[in-house]
Every structure is written in structure tokens, then in C-alpha cells.
Amino acid sequence: MALLLLGALLGQVHPFSAQFEQVIVENNQSDTARGTVYFVAPWRIYYQVNYPLNQLVSVVMNEMSIYYPDESLAYVLKSKSQFESPTSQLSLGTIDPARAMSQIGLRPSKTRTAGDTVYSVWTPTDRGATFGRFTFARIGRATVFVEAVRRNGRPVVRSRMSDHVRADTFELPTKITTERFDTAGRRSLEVLTYTALDTSTAFLSTLERFTIPPGVRTKISSW
Amino acid sequence: MRGSPKSLIALALTVAVLVYPTTVLASEGEGTAAEGTIAGQADARTNTSSILWFGAGCLFELLGVAAAYLITPNPPAMRLLGKSPEYVAAYTDAYSASARSVQTNNAWLGCIVSTLAGTGVYILAALASSSQY
């Protein structure tokens, strides 16, 4: 269902390309990847990674291909279902909580304003729900903070979004900092930064290079 | 990009994204096979719902167990960006094996609990029935 929703939402977003940097920090270690993302449709996304290595990744429908041109090696993962879209975090900045939380079993419990930021707290109507509370913070149409906590009050995830740019009628965040907490309370941090957002479609004709050339050693896994 | 339906979708999506539990594992550079194995196992354990598969075993019994063997969740693509071929191979193998292990163990547990509970209820009903005569 999440993928259907994601597809429906991102289906409204026009093709774009952008430079990206992903930094993941856990246990005082950081892990960085940089490159360019080419978004064609929710079911057709391409990544050209150039740091820390050269890698061409395509996520197309139920298939994910990872091609290493320097090693002349590729992996293809075929699944029965669509792969999770790596750009899902972008959608967080498009949220208008007042419009639809009730549609998914949540009700507003509190709203407060601090400066130009409006905070709204939502709680599930179902007492058996896993999650205890969602908090959204918005400045105008842009969502700048989202937090989900468990019923015991412990956080699950916190995302802070900034540097929004307008794409059609959406306010897309180009910097997303996400803290995740597992059930043991361990925290990890993920920072996604998008720059040089380009909504021209000239890149569409260049995507052939993501095709794995004949003769490349390829491992195919079916899921 | 016009009107409330998209906002509804966007909001529902946010919740879907938020409730989808994921973890990250940090490693230096492109990642080794050993790191890929550890990360794949950890992510699979976190991303796979024990409660869901326990419930499937309870409700559908052997069908739930069969589904646990047949369905394998996809690895998250973002965890593979910038990773070495060795890491990717190890991660995906470990993710698949661990996710399936969590699913099947919990589905079997649910199935056994459901069967024992059903048997217990049957025995109690039989005892109650026989005591009436």
C-alpha cells in the first residue's frame, strides 16, 4: 500500500534531475554517497553514483539493476513487487496534515503556533494502533518537521526538512535530516541533500547508458 | 498537482513512509562483504514485522506459514548506493535470508499457538460436554 501511495504521489511530480548527497551516521561512523538522481516516474528512477565509487543504479518497476562500469560487473534483482522508491523522503515536504490525517485513522489532538510555524499533533483513533502520536510542523505550505512516536512515548523517526523549492504546486525539501530510532532506542542519522534541481527533460535521452552492456558479468537474483 | 486528492495521498504517504521502519548501518567507504552481511541482517530484522507474521500464522495457520516462505521483502535501494559489489552481494543475500527467517519463525509460532489454543478449547468443550452426562 505504501508503494501504491508513493506511486500515486510521485506520479504527480514531473521528471527532474538533481545532484544528491546521502550521509548516514551511526555509531560515530559516517557513510557518504554522492551522485546524480534522474527521476522519470515513481517506477523509473536512475542513480549515477560517482562517490565513493562509480555505480549506475536503476530502479524500474520490479527490477533493480546495479552496474559497476569500472569492474564490468552487474547485479540484477528481480522482485514480485515494486521496489521502494529511494526518493520517498522527498514527499515528506509535500504534506498537508490537516487535509487527510483523519482519512487514515488519526484525529487532531492539539495545535499550537510558534512564530510562523504551526505545530499539529495527531493521535490514532484506534487504541490498538502501534503508533501513539504524529507531530507535524509547517511554515506556510511547506512541512518542516515530522515526528512519529510509539505508544510508550519513545520516538520512531524525526525528520527535519529545509531549503524547499517549488515544483509545480509542491514545496519540495532539498535538505532532509532524518533520525531513526530502533526498538532498543539506538539512533541513526541520515542526511539527504539535493542540489542543482533541473526540471528540464533533456536527460531522458541519455538514460540508455544505464542499460547493462552485453558481455558484462551479471548476477541475477529473483526475489 | 491540483486539489485535495493529492494532498490526501501526500499525507497518507507520509504516514506510510514514517511507519515503514528502517535502519541504517554505517560503514567506512564502499563497504566490505562482512559489513554487508551484518547490515543486511540488521535491516531485515528491523524491516520485517514479527507481529504481522505471527498474526498471519495465527489467522491462516499453514497458509500463513506458506506465505512466509514464499514472500521475500525487497531490500531498500538507498542502502546500496555507493556500495561495492561485494557489499551488495552480501547485503542482498543476508537480507533475503534474515527476512525469511523472521517471517517463517513467527508464522510457525503463530500457527502453533493457534493450534494449541484451538485444541485446548476443543478439549475443554469436550470435557464440559462429557460432564453434563
Side-chain angles (χ1 to χ4, degrees):
Chain A
M1 181 168 177
L3 287 174
L4 290 175
L5 290 168
L6 184 62
L9 172 69
L10 293 180
Q12 310 299 320
V13 180
H14 294 298
F16 68 85
S17 64
Q19 306 289 314
F20 76 90
E21 180 183 76
Q22 174 188 254
V23 180
I24 296 172
V25 181
E26 189 176 70
N27 299 328
N28 297 320
Q29 287 187 310
S30 69
D31 186 1
T32 303
R34 293 191 200 104
T36 307
V37 56
Y38 301 94
F39 177 92
V40 181
W43 52 89
R44 189 175 288 271
I45 303 171
Y46 302 85
Y47 290 88
Q48 180 165 8
V49 178
N50 51 37
Y51 178 85
L53 44 66
N54 290 320
Q55 186 188 47
L56 296 169
V57 179
S58 63
V59 184
V60 179
M61 300 294 285
N62 298 357
E63 188 171 302
M64 178 164 63
S65 300
I66 304 172
Y67 170 41
Y68 297 90
D70 296 342
E71 287 90 350
S72 194
L73 179 65
Y75 291 94
V76 177
L77 304 178
K78 295 183 176 180
S79 171
K80 297 183 184 71
S81 59
Q82 194 171 326
F83 277 89
E84 178 196 2
S85 170
T87 55
S88 57
Q89 292 283 5
L90 267 176
S91 64
L92 289 170
T94 68
I95 301 308
D96 180 0
R99 293 208 176 202
M101 288 305 265
S102 59
Q103 300 289 322
I104 50 176
L106 297 165
R107 65 181 171 210
S109 66
K110 194 164 52 179
T111 301
R112 68 180 174 88
T113 302
D116 55 357
T117 308
V118 178
Y119 293 85
S120 59
V121 180
W122 297 77
T123 52
T125 53
D126 176 10
R127 291 189 175 193
T130 308
F131 287 82
R133 178 177 83 235
F134 287 89
T135 303
F136 292 82
R138 304 191 87 208
I139 299 175
R141 293 169 60 89
T143 298
V144 295
F145 175 76
V146 182
E147 181 188 52
V149 300
R150 295 185 172 87
R151 294 189 75 81
N152 61 11
R154 290 184 177 177
V156 179
V157 62
R158 280 191 204 116
S159 281
R160 290 174 174 81
M161 288 138 279
S162 61
D163 303 345
H164 293 71
V165 296
R166 174 155 292 210
D168 206 339
T169 60
F170 283 122
E171 295 284 346
L172 286 174
T174 57
K175 183 169 185 180
I176 304 155
T177 303
T178 302
E179 296 172 277
R180 300 182 198 276
F181 303 85
D182 65 15
T183 50
R186 288 185 293 263
R187 172 182 172 272
S188 63
L189 180 68
E190 177 185 310
V191 182
L192 268 169
T193 308
Y194 296 89
T195 55
L197 189 71
D198 184 358
T199 54
S200 68
T201 54
F203 70 85
L204 292 173
S205 60
T206 70
L207 297 176
E208 271 298 309
R209 68 183 187 281
F210 285 86
T211 304
I212 299 168
V216 168
R217 190 156 48 96
T218 303
K219 180 186 175 187
I220 300 174
S221 300
S222 294
W223 289 65
Chain B
M1 312 302 287
R2 295 166 296 279
S4 60
K6 286 170 218 159
S7 299
L8 292 173
I9 290 167
L11 191 49
L13 169 65
T14 294
V15 175
V17 168
L18 287 172
V19 301
Y20 181 72
T22 57
T23 57
V24 293
L25 273 182
S27 60
E28 296 293 343
E30 305 157 15
T32 63
E35 289 169 339
T37 300
I38 293 168
Q41 289 171 341
D43 284 1
R45 280 196 298 269
T46 306
N47 293 349
T48 309
S49 172
S50 303
I51 295 171
L52 176 74
W53 286 103
F54 178 83
C58 276
L59 288 174
F60 304 109
E61 300 191 330
L62 288 178
L63 283 178
V65 173
Y69 279 100
L70 291 173
I71 297 171
T72 306
N74 296 332
M78 285 300 266
R79 301 291 175 255
L80 303 176
L81 293 183
K83 294 301 184 186
S84 68
E86 297 78 20
Y87 183 99
V88 168
Y91 181 97
T92 52
D93 288 346
Y95 192 95
S96 170
S98 292
R100 186 163 287 160
S101 170
V102 172
Q103 291 178 178
T104 53
N105 287 346
N106 284 284
W108 272 118
L109 188 61
C111 181
I112 291 167
V113 167
S114 174
T115 304
L116 289 176
T119 305
V121 168
Y122 178 80
I123 291 171
L124 286 174
L127 287 174
S129 174
S130 63
S131 67
Q132 289 177 346
Y133 295 101

